[in-house]
């Protein structure tokens, strides 16, 4: 990861980055995010670029190895913050199944996915959710981790089952179909 950590991060137009009190604060048109700086790493702004350096002496092999892995992680987290406040992140979920649907009412996502009652999910304040054609859910936000976590929690309500493929899945996700017991016996 040290090779990735050495690569500077470009700061695009419309994004402001501040480093104060041991954390990086990134602000743009989609919102404001912050990240704590890991110990033994130095983050600085040089010529409209963010540069991250490892401050551990390579002779201390155990600490140096651990800090090297955090070095690449820190760079990825800051790069994702910059992309999030400038462009944003999006996850798309699809609902498959007869009578399965979703809708947004206020700050709740209401899913009818084969249970005896509709399932209501509270939408976090930093995330926007849009339902198109009752079966496609668009989850958008500036924080990549929050968008992914919310999409996973919605998918967890009714994951796709392997026999008919009914349930909630990510767009483009392949669900391997199993043969039913009748299908297995008929092939012999």
């Amino acid at each position: 990861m040290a090779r990735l950590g050495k690569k500077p991060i470009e700061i695009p137009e419309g994004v402001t980055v501040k480093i104060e009190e041991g954390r990086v604060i990134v602000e743009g048109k989609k919102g404001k995010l912050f990240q704590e700086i890991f110990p033994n790493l130095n983050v600085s702004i040089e010529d409209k670029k963010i540069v991250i350096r490892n401050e551990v002496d390579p002779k201390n092999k155990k600490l140096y190895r651990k800090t090297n892995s955090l070095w690449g992680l820190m760079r990825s987290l800051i790069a994702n913050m910059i992309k999030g406040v400038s462009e944003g992140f999006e996850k798309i979920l699809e609902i498959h199944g007869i009578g399965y649907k979703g809708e947004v009412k206020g700050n709740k996502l209401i899913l009818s996915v084969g249970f005896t009652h509709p399932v209501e999910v509270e939408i976090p304040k930093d995330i926007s959710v849009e339902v198109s054609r009752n079966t496609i859910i668009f989850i958008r936000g500036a924080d990549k981790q929050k968008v992914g976590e919310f999409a996973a929690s919605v998918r967890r309500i009714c994951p796709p089952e392997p026999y008919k493929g009914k349930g909630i899945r990510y767009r483009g996700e392949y669900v391997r179909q199993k043969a039913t017991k009748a299908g297995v016996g008929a092939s012999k």
Side-chain angles (χ1 to χ4, degrees):
M1 286 303 245
R3 278 190 239 151
L4 179 64
K6 290 176 185 175
K7 192 175 172 185
I9 305 165
E10 295 279 337
I11 301 173
E13 291 295 320
V15 175
T16 59
V17 179
K18 288 185 254 174
I19 300 166
E20 51 188 47
E21 299 174 10
R23 59 189 205 172
V24 179
I25 301 167
V26 180
E27 197 169 353
K29 64 182 179 184
K30 298 273 185 182
K32 182 177 182 180
L33 299 172
F34 68 91
Q35 173 65 44
E36 300 291 327
I37 298 173
F38 299 133
N40 302 319
L41 292 177
N42 180 22
V43 180
S44 60
I45 301 171
E46 300 171 4
D47 301 328
K48 295 278 265 174
K49 293 181 182 177
I50 299 174
V51 180
I52 304 165
R53 292 189 179 89
N54 186 351
E55 295 184 332
V56 176
D57 185 26
K59 292 176 183 172
N60 187 349
K61 290 188 179 184
K62 192 173 186 179
L63 184 61
Y64 187 74
R65 189 175 296 162
K66 182 177 180 184
T67 309
N68 259 355
S69 62
L70 293 177
W71 191 4
L73 174 64
M74 187 81 217
R75 189 218 178 266
S76 296
L77 291 173
I78 294 172
N80 285 338
M81 286 171 31
I82 289 174
K83 183 180 177 193
V85 298
S86 60
E87 301 169 25
F89 290 99
E90 177 182 67
K91 290 277 187 181
I92 302 172
L93 298 174
E94 296 175 343
I95 303 172
H96 290 269
I98 296 172
Y100 286 20
K101 64 180 182 174
E103 64 178 316
V104 177
K105 281 190 181 171
N107 66 339
K108 292 188 184 221
L109 174 65
I110 300 169
L111 299 169
S112 299
V113 285
F115 299 122
T116 58
H117 59 284
V119 179
E120 293 183 2
V121 182
E122 187 87 22
I123 299 171
K125 65 177 181 173
D126 303 345
I127 294 176
S128 68
V129 176
E130 177 188 331
V131 178
S132 173
R133 295 185 305 196
N134 291 336
T135 58
I136 301 173
I137 303 169
F138 295 94
I139 301 170
R140 296 182 181 103
D143 192 344
K144 185 176 185 177
Q145 190 265 336
K146 285 184 181 177
V147 169
E149 185 179 333
F150 183 71
S153 69
V154 170
R155 184 185 180 278
R156 208 175 299 124
I157 292 169
C158 184
E161 54 95 21
Y163 294 103
K164 293 182 183 175
K166 297 185 339 182
I168 302 171
R169 63 176 89 165
Y170 296 109
R171 175 169 275 173
E173 178 182 0
Y174 174 73
V175 177
R176 200 175 121 244
Q177 298 281 310
K178 289 183 177 179
T180 60
K181 289 182 180 178
V184 172
S187 65
K188 289 184 179 179

